[in-house]
mmCIF file of all heavy atoms in Angstrom:
data_model
loop_
_atom_site.group_PDB
_atom_site.id
_atom_site.type_symbol
_atom_site.label_atom_id
_atom_site.label_comp_id
_atom_site.label_asym_id
_atom_site.label_seq_id
_atom_site.Cartn_x
_atom_site.Cartn_y
_atom_site.Cartn_z
ATOM 1 N N ILE O 13 2.506 -9.996 -3.068
ATOM 2 C CA ILE O 13 2.217 -10.312 -1.600
ATOM 3 C C ILE O 13 2.929 -9.311 -0.706
ATOM 4 O O ILE O 13 2.359 -8.726 0.204
ATOM 5 C CB ILE O 13 2.441 -11.761 -1.273
ATOM 6 C CG1 ILE O 13 1.485 -12.662 -1.999
ATOM 7 C CG2 ILE O 13 2.489 -11.941 0.270
ATOM 8 C CD1 ILE O 13 1.821 -14.056 -1.944
ATOM 9 N N GLU O 14 4.148 -9.079 -1.045
ATOM 10 C CA GLU O 14 5.002 -8.126 -0.260
ATOM 11 C C GLU O 14 4.522 -6.659 -0.289
ATOM 12 O O GLU O 14 4.309 -6.020 0.736
ATOM 13 C CB GLU O 14 6.491 -8.121 -0.639
ATOM 14 C CG GLU O 14 7.201 -9.369 -0.214
ATOM 15 C CD GLU O 14 8.681 -9.312 -0.569
ATOM 16 O OE1 GLU O 14 9.294 -8.356 -0.339
ATOM 17 O OE2 GLU O 14 9.146 -10.354 -1.038
ATOM 18 N N PHE O 15 4.100 -6.248 -1.520
ATOM 19 C CA PHE O 15 3.560 -4.847 -1.686
ATOM 20 C C PHE O 15 2.181 -4.773 -0.996
ATOM 21 O O PHE O 15 1.877 -3.679 -0.451
ATOM 22 C CB PHE O 15 3.555 -4.448 -3.106
ATOM 23 C CG PHE O 15 4.854 -3.853 -3.611
ATOM 24 C CD1 PHE O 15 5.615 -4.612 -4.519
ATOM 25 C CD2 PHE O 15 5.220 -2.601 -3.147
ATOM 26 C CE1 PHE O 15 6.878 -4.115 -4.908
ATOM 27 C CE2 PHE O 15 6.517 -2.088 -3.629
ATOM 28 C CZ PHE O 15 7.255 -2.765 -4.469
ATOM 29 N N ALA O 16 1.390 -5.818 -1.081
ATOM 30 C CA ALA O 16 0.112 -5.838 -0.395
ATOM 31 C C ALA O 16 0.319 -5.734 1.093
ATOM 32 O O ALA O 16 -0.465 -5.031 1.824
ATOM 33 C CB ALA O 16 -0.685 -7.060 -0.816
ATOM 34 N N ALA O 17 1.324 -6.392 1.645
ATOM 35 C CA ALA O 17 1.604 -6.403 3.109
ATOM 36 C C ALA O 17 2.062 -4.946 3.507
ATOM 37 O O ALA O 17 1.499 -4.425 4.535
ATOM 38 C CB ALA O 17 2.710 -7.341 3.443
ATOM 39 N N PHE O 18 2.866 -4.283 2.718
ATOM 40 C CA PHE O 18 3.310 -2.914 2.999
ATOM 41 C C PHE O 18 2.150 -1.971 2.906
ATOM 42 O O PHE O 18 1.952 -1.086 3.740
ATOM 43 C CB PHE O 18 4.367 -2.412 2.042
ATOM 44 C CG PHE O 18 5.757 -2.815 2.528
ATOM 45 C CD1 PHE O 18 6.470 -3.810 1.962
ATOM 46 C CD2 PHE O 18 6.358 -2.097 3.499
ATOM 47 C CE1 PHE O 18 7.719 -4.165 2.360
ATOM 48 C CE2 PHE O 18 7.654 -2.381 3.999
ATOM 49 C CZ PHE O 18 8.344 -3.475 3.465
ATOM 50 N N SER O 19 1.191 -2.205 1.951
ATOM 51 C CA SER O 19 0.045 -1.393 1.804
ATOM 52 C C SER O 19 -0.799 -1.548 3.105
ATOM 53 O O SER O 19 -1.391 -0.564 3.585
ATOM 54 C CB SER O 19 -0.822 -1.872 0.527
ATOM 55 O OG SER O 19 -1.958 -1.110 0.489
ATOM 56 N N GLY O 20 -0.974 -2.753 3.561
ATOM 57 C CA GLY O 20 -1.768 -2.979 4.803
ATOM 58 C C GLY O 20 -1.078 -2.265 6.027
ATOM 59 O O GLY O 20 -1.789 -1.669 6.845
ATOM 60 N N LEU O 21 0.217 -2.378 6.145
ATOM 61 C CA LEU O 21 0.902 -1.638 7.112
ATOM 62 C C LEU O 21 0.666 -0.227 7.080
ATOM 63 O O LEU O 21 0.410 0.520 8.080
ATOM 64 C CB LEU O 21 2.395 -2.081 7.159
ATOM 65 C CG LEU O 21 3.305 -1.290 8.067
ATOM 66 C CD1 LEU O 21 2.963 -1.667 9.476
ATOM 67 C CD2 LEU O 21 4.716 -1.536 7.765
ATOM 68 N N TYR O 22 0.807 0.393 5.903
ATOM 69 C CA TYR O 22 0.614 1.844 5.745
ATOM 70 C C TYR O 22 -0.800 2.231 5.978
ATOM 71 O O TYR O 22 -1.073 3.301 6.561
ATOM 72 C CB TYR O 22 1.012 2.243 4.309
ATOM 73 C CG TYR O 22 2.518 2.086 3.956
ATOM 74 C CD1 TYR O 22 2.983 1.877 2.757
ATOM 75 C CD2 TYR O 22 3.456 2.071 4.978
ATOM 76 C CE1 TYR O 22 4.250 1.705 2.408
ATOM 77 C CE2 TYR O 22 4.842 1.971 4.684
ATOM 78 C CZ TYR O 22 5.244 1.814 3.345
ATOM 79 O OH TYR O 22 6.553 1.671 3.147
ATOM 80 N N MET O 23 -1.816 1.430 5.705
ATOM 81 C CA MET O 23 -3.207 1.711 5.988
ATOM 82 C C MET O 23 -3.305 1.726 7.543
ATOM 83 O O MET O 23 -4.091 2.686 8.020
ATOM 84 C CB MET O 23 -4.067 0.655 5.419
ATOM 85 C CG MET O 23 -4.354 0.782 3.938
ATOM 86 S SD MET O 23 -5.050 2.378 3.466
ATOM 87 C CE MET O 23 -6.689 2.222 4.203
ATOM 88 N N LEU O 24 -2.733 0.795 8.240
ATOM 89 C CA LEU O 24 -2.777 0.803 9.667
ATOM 90 C C LEU O 24 -2.210 2.113 10.283
ATOM 91 O O LEU O 24 -2.792 2.763 11.129
ATOM 92 C CB LEU O 24 -2.049 -0.480 10.264
ATOM 93 C CG LEU O 24 -1.989 -0.529 11.721
ATOM 94 C CD1 LEU O 24 -3.400 -0.699 12.380
ATOM 95 C CD2 LEU O 24 -1.170 -1.691 12.193
ATOM 96 N N ILE O 25 -1.047 2.458 9.700
ATOM 97 C CA ILE O 25 -0.421 3.790 10.201
ATOM 98 C C ILE O 25 -1.283 4.853 9.907
ATOM 99 O O ILE O 25 -1.450 5.790 10.655
ATOM 100 C CB ILE O 25 1.000 3.818 9.574
ATOM 101 C CG1 ILE O 25 1.942 2.739 10.128
ATOM 102 C CG2 ILE O 25 1.645 5.239 9.874
ATOM 103 C CD1 ILE O 25 3.205 2.687 9.383
ATOM 104 N N PHE O 26 -1.942 4.881 8.671
ATOM 105 C CA PHE O 26 -2.750 5.987 8.350
ATOM 106 C C PHE O 26 -3.973 6.096 9.314
ATOM 107 O O PHE O 26 -4.250 7.181 9.757
ATOM 108 C CB PHE O 26 -3.321 5.778 6.953
ATOM 109 C CG PHE O 26 -4.494 6.713 6.574
ATOM 110 C CD1 PHE O 26 -4.345 8.067 6.428
ATOM 111 C CD2 PHE O 26 -5.820 6.177 6.583
ATOM 112 C CE1 PHE O 26 -5.387 8.922 6.169
ATOM 113 C CE2 PHE O 26 -6.860 7.027 6.207
ATOM 114 C CZ PHE O 26 -6.660 8.381 6.032
ATOM 115 N N PHE O 27 -4.563 4.899 9.681
ATOM 116 C CA PHE O 27 -5.675 5.038 10.618
ATOM 117 C C PHE O 27 -5.307 5.473 12.069
ATOM 118 O O PHE O 27 -6.104 6.097 12.679
ATOM 119 C CB PHE O 27 -6.413 3.624 10.744
ATOM 120 C CG PHE O 27 -7.239 3.280 9.534
ATOM 121 C CD1 PHE O 27 -7.037 2.050 8.769
ATOM 122 C CD2 PHE O 27 -8.105 4.182 8.994
ATOM 123 C CE1 PHE O 27 -7.767 1.735 7.670
ATOM 124 C CE2 PHE O 27 -8.896 3.910 7.881
ATOM 125 C CZ PHE O 27 -8.690 2.676 7.219
ATOM 126 N N LEU O 28 -4.058 5.207 12.390
ATOM 127 C CA LEU O 28 -3.518 5.665 13.694
ATOM 128 C C LEU O 28 -3.138 7.095 13.716
ATOM 129 O O LEU O 28 -3.351 7.797 14.698
ATOM 130 C CB LEU O 28 -2.347 4.729 14.072
ATOM 131 C CG LEU O 28 -2.631 3.288 14.380
ATOM 132 C CD1 LEU O 28 -1.381 2.571 14.675
ATOM 133 C CD2 LEU O 28 -3.556 3.178 15.546
ATOM 134 N N THR O 29 -2.694 7.612 12.549
ATOM 135 C CA THR O 29 -2.106 8.985 12.500
ATOM 136 C C THR O 29 -3.019 9.974 11.751
ATOM 137 O O THR O 29 -2.943 11.136 12.105
ATOM 138 C CB THR O 29 -0.730 9.001 11.880
ATOM 139 O OG1 THR O 29 -0.856 8.617 10.436
ATOM 140 C CG2 THR O 29 0.223 8.172 12.579
ATOM 141 N N GLY O 30 -3.825 9.475 10.797
ATOM 142 C CA GLY O 30 -4.593 10.378 9.987
ATOM 143 C C GLY O 30 -3.819 11.165 8.935
ATOM 144 O O GLY O 30 -4.358 12.033 8.264
ATOM 145 N N GLU O 31 -2.492 10.860 8.775
ATOM 146 C CA GLU O 31 -1.662 11.567 7.822
ATOM 147 C C GLU O 31 -2.035 11.112 6.412
ATOM 148 O O GLU O 31 -1.958 9.921 6.052
ATOM 149 C CB GLU O 31 -0.201 11.271 8.089
ATOM 150 C CG GLU O 31 0.324 11.929 9.284
ATOM 151 C CD GLU O 31 0.354 13.456 9.110
ATOM 152 O OE1 GLU O 31 0.656 13.934 8.007
ATOM 153 O OE2 GLU O 31 0.193 14.148 10.128
ATOM 154 N N ILE O 32 -2.411 12.002 5.588
ATOM 155 C CA ILE O 32 -2.913 11.710 4.184
ATOM 156 C C ILE O 32 -1.777 11.209 3.309
ATOM 157 O O ILE O 32 -1.966 10.389 2.419
ATOM 158 C CB ILE O 32 -3.602 12.935 3.539
ATOM 159 C CG1 ILE O 32 -4.430 12.515 2.391
ATOM 160 C CG2 ILE O 32 -2.616 14.039 3.180
ATOM 161 C CD1 ILE O 32 -5.673 11.820 2.671
ATOM 162 N N THR O 33 -0.582 11.595 3.612
ATOM 163 C CA THR O 33 0.552 11.126 2.848
ATOM 164 C C THR O 33 0.768 9.598 3.015
ATOM 165 O O THR O 33 1.164 8.950 2.072
ATOM 166 C CB THR O 33 1.875 11.873 3.156
ATOM 167 O OG1 THR O 33 2.100 11.742 4.551
ATOM 168 C CG2 THR O 33 1.793 13.276 2.737
ATOM 169 N N ILE O 34 0.478 9.132 4.149
ATOM 170 C CA ILE O 34 0.587 7.673 4.423
ATOM 171 C C ILE O 34 -0.465 6.959 3.624
ATOM 172 O O ILE O 34 -0.245 5.874 3.071
ATOM 173 C CB ILE O 34 0.410 7.344 5.955
ATOM 174 C CG1 ILE O 34 1.357 8.134 6.776
ATOM 175 C CG2 ILE O 34 0.605 5.877 6.159
ATOM 176 C CD1 ILE O 34 2.804 7.813 6.586
ATOM 177 N N LEU O 35 -1.608 7.518 3.456
ATOM 178 C CA LEU O 35 -2.679 6.865 2.600
ATOM 179 C C LEU O 35 -2.259 6.819 1.151
ATOM 180 O O LEU O 35 -2.449 5.790 0.423
ATOM 181 C CB LEU O 35 -3.984 7.743 2.723
ATOM 182 C CG LEU O 35 -5.152 7.219 1.951
ATOM 183 C CD1 LEU O 35 -5.500 5.796 2.454
ATOM 184 C CD2 LEU O 35 -6.364 8.203 2.088
ATOM 185 N N GLY O 36 -1.446 7.847 0.654
ATOM 186 C CA GLY O 36 -0.966 7.769 -0.646
ATOM 187 C C GLY O 36 0.051 6.691 -0.821
ATOM 188 O O GLY O 36 -0.039 5.982 -1.861
ATOM 189 N N GLY O 37 0.848 6.493 0.181
ATOM 190 C CA GLY O 37 1.828 5.268 0.131
ATOM 191 C C GLY O 37 1.118 3.953 0.046
ATOM 192 O O GLY O 37 1.441 3.069 -0.663
ATOM 193 N N ALA O 38 0.042 3.871 0.856
ATOM 194 C CA ALA O 38 -0.782 2.625 0.810
ATOM 195 C C ALA O 38 -1.444 2.460 -0.592
ATOM 196 O O ALA O 38 -1.385 1.311 -1.089
ATOM 197 C CB ALA O 38 -1.854 2.691 1.902
ATOM 198 N N ALA O 39 -1.980 3.524 -1.158
ATOM 199 C CA ALA O 39 -2.647 3.419 -2.498
ATOM 200 C C ALA O 39 -1.593 2.941 -3.488
ATOM 201 O O ALA O 39 -1.948 2.057 -4.331
ATOM 202 C CB ALA O 39 -3.248 4.677 -2.806
ATOM 203 N N PHE O 40 -0.396 3.620 -3.563
ATOM 204 C CA PHE O 40 0.531 3.267 -4.609
ATOM 205 C C PHE O 40 1.030 1.830 -4.404
ATOM 206 O O PHE O 40 1.260 1.069 -5.343
ATOM 207 C CB PHE O 40 1.686 4.290 -4.604
ATOM 208 C CG PHE O 40 1.318 5.517 -5.425
ATOM 209 C CD1 PHE O 40 0.996 6.623 -4.764
ATOM 210 C CD2 PHE O 40 1.297 5.445 -6.782
ATOM 211 C CE1 PHE O 40 0.690 7.798 -5.462
ATOM 212 C CE2 PHE O 40 0.949 6.597 -7.487
ATOM 213 C CZ PHE O 40 0.648 7.737 -6.854
ATOM 214 N N CYS O 41 1.295 1.402 -3.092
ATOM 215 C CA CYS O 41 1.691 0.055 -2.919
ATOM 216 C C CYS O 41 0.675 -0.901 -3.395
ATOM 217 O O CYS O 41 0.903 -2.055 -3.933
ATOM 218 C CB CYS O 41 2.107 -0.231 -1.417
ATOM 219 S SG CYS O 41 3.734 0.491 -0.995
ATOM 220 N N SER O 42 -0.547 -0.619 -3.141
ATOM 221 C CA SER O 42 -1.739 -1.436 -3.571
ATOM 222 C C SER O 42 -1.779 -1.568 -5.114
ATOM 223 O O SER O 42 -1.943 -2.677 -5.688
ATOM 224 C CB SER O 42 -3.062 -0.915 -3.062
ATOM 225 O OG SER O 42 -3.149 -1.038 -1.739
ATOM 226 N N ALA O 43 -1.532 -0.374 -5.743
ATOM 227 C CA ALA O 43 -1.454 -0.433 -7.225
ATOM 228 C C ALA O 43 -0.342 -1.297 -7.797
ATOM 229 O O ALA O 43 -0.547 -2.041 -8.778
ATOM 230 C CB ALA O 43 -1.357 1.032 -7.769
ATOM 231 N N ILE O 44 0.820 -1.229 -7.182
ATOM 232 C CA ILE O 44 1.925 -2.084 -7.590
ATOM 233 C C ILE O 44 1.611 -3.519 -7.315
ATOM 234 O O ILE O 44 1.874 -4.372 -8.182
ATOM 235 C CB ILE O 44 3.200 -1.634 -6.944
ATOM 236 C CG1 ILE O 44 3.651 -0.225 -7.382
ATOM 237 C CG2 ILE O 44 4.385 -2.645 -7.172
ATOM 238 C CD1 ILE O 44 4.776 0.380 -6.529
ATOM 239 N N ALA O 45 0.992 -3.800 -6.211
ATOM 240 C CA ALA O 45 0.617 -5.197 -5.811
ATOM 241 C C ALA O 45 -0.314 -5.829 -6.857
ATOM 242 O O ALA O 45 -0.142 -6.913 -7.364
ATOM 243 C CB ALA O 45 0.068 -5.295 -4.475
ATOM 244 N N ILE O 46 -1.372 -4.979 -7.300
ATOM 245 C CA ILE O 46 -2.279 -5.503 -8.251
ATOM 246 C C ILE O 46 -1.619 -5.692 -9.621
ATOM 247 O O ILE O 46 -1.828 -6.688 -10.299
ATOM 248 C CB ILE O 46 -3.464 -4.435 -8.427
ATOM 249 C CG1 ILE O 46 -4.268 -4.470 -7.093
ATOM 250 C CG2 ILE O 46 -4.317 -4.734 -9.617
ATOM 251 C CD1 ILE O 46 -5.265 -3.283 -6.995
ATOM 252 N N ARG O 47 -0.749 -4.748 -10.031
ATOM 253 C CA ARG O 47 -0.089 -4.738 -11.252
ATOM 254 C C ARG O 47 0.831 -6.082 -11.245
ATOM 255 O O ARG O 47 0.852 -6.873 -12.247
ATOM 256 C CB ARG O 47 0.751 -3.467 -11.573
ATOM 257 C CG ARG O 47 1.464 -3.628 -12.856
ATOM 258 C CD ARG O 47 2.114 -2.293 -13.218
ATOM 259 N NE ARG O 47 3.014 -1.934 -12.069
ATOM 260 C CZ ARG O 47 3.527 -0.745 -11.945
ATOM 261 N NH1 ARG O 47 3.138 0.267 -12.670
ATOM 262 N NH2 ARG O 47 4.293 -0.512 -10.847
ATOM 263 N N HIS O 48 1.534 -6.343 -10.274
ATOM 264 C CA HIS O 48 2.397 -7.525 -10.146
ATOM 265 C C HIS O 48 1.622 -8.756 -10.147
ATOM 266 O O HIS O 48 2.030 -9.831 -10.733
ATOM 267 C CB HIS O 48 3.416 -7.492 -9.019
ATOM 268 C CG HIS O 48 4.563 -6.517 -9.224
ATOM 269 N ND1 HIS O 48 5.610 -6.378 -8.447
ATOM 270 C CD2 HIS O 48 4.679 -5.424 -10.103
ATOM 271 C CE1 HIS O 48 6.382 -5.441 -8.881
ATOM 272 N NE2 HIS O 48 5.837 -4.860 -9.883
ATOM 273 N N TRP O 49 0.433 -8.823 -9.478
ATOM 274 C CA TRP O 49 -0.312 -9.974 -9.424
ATOM 275 C C TRP O 49 -0.875 -10.272 -10.912
ATOM 276 O O TRP O 49 -0.857 -11.433 -11.311
ATOM 277 C CB TRP O 49 -1.541 -9.750 -8.539
ATOM 278 C CG TRP O 49 -2.350 -10.979 -8.303
ATOM 279 C CD1 TRP O 49 -3.494 -11.284 -9.040
ATOM 280 C CD2 TRP O 49 -2.082 -12.010 -7.458
ATOM 281 N NE1 TRP O 49 -3.967 -12.478 -8.635
ATOM 282 C CE2 TRP O 49 -3.135 -13.002 -7.640
ATOM 283 C CE3 TRP O 49 -1.141 -12.268 -6.563
ATOM 284 C CZ2 TRP O 49 -3.224 -14.136 -6.938
ATOM 285 C CZ3 TRP O 49 -1.230 -13.511 -5.813
ATOM 286 C CH2 TRP O 49 -2.197 -14.366 -6.037
ATOM 287 N N LEU O 50 -1.374 -9.235 -11.544
ATOM 288 C CA LEU O 50 -1.809 -9.425 -12.954
ATOM 289 C C LEU O 50 -0.677 -9.934 -13.916
ATOM 290 O O LEU O 50 -0.876 -10.791 -14.695
ATOM 291 C CB LEU O 50 -2.407 -8.146 -13.473
ATOM 292 C CG LEU O 50 -3.737 -7.695 -12.784
ATOM 293 C CD1 LEU O 50 -4.193 -6.364 -13.289
ATOM 294 C CD2 LEU O 50 -4.755 -8.771 -12.963
ATOM 295 N N TRP O 51 0.578 -9.292 -13.740
ATOM 296 C CA TRP O 51 1.655 -9.854 -14.522
ATOM 297 C C TRP O 51 2.020 -11.307 -14.244
ATOM 298 O O TRP O 51 2.353 -12.006 -15.127
ATOM 299 C CB TRP O 51 2.890 -8.986 -14.264
ATOM 300 C CG TRP O 51 2.825 -7.562 -14.927
ATOM 301 C CD1 TRP O 51 1.934 -7.215 -15.881
ATOM 302 C CD2 TRP O 51 3.718 -6.536 -14.681
ATOM 303 N NE1 TRP O 51 2.201 -5.820 -16.227
ATOM 304 C CE2 TRP O 51 3.304 -5.448 -15.530
ATOM 305 C CE3 TRP O 51 4.803 -6.286 -13.836
ATOM 306 C CZ2 TRP O 51 3.924 -4.219 -15.433
ATOM 307 C CZ3 TRP O 51 5.402 -5.092 -13.800
ATOM 308 C CH2 TRP O 51 4.983 -4.025 -14.639
#
């Protein structure tokens, strides 16, 4: 849940700034969130 929240925050920042590196942070946080949910 925490990593999903950070992913959402990073997605919001990406939409506001358009910085592709922020999108990468959102993607990796999402991947960790999914992995932890499955575990």
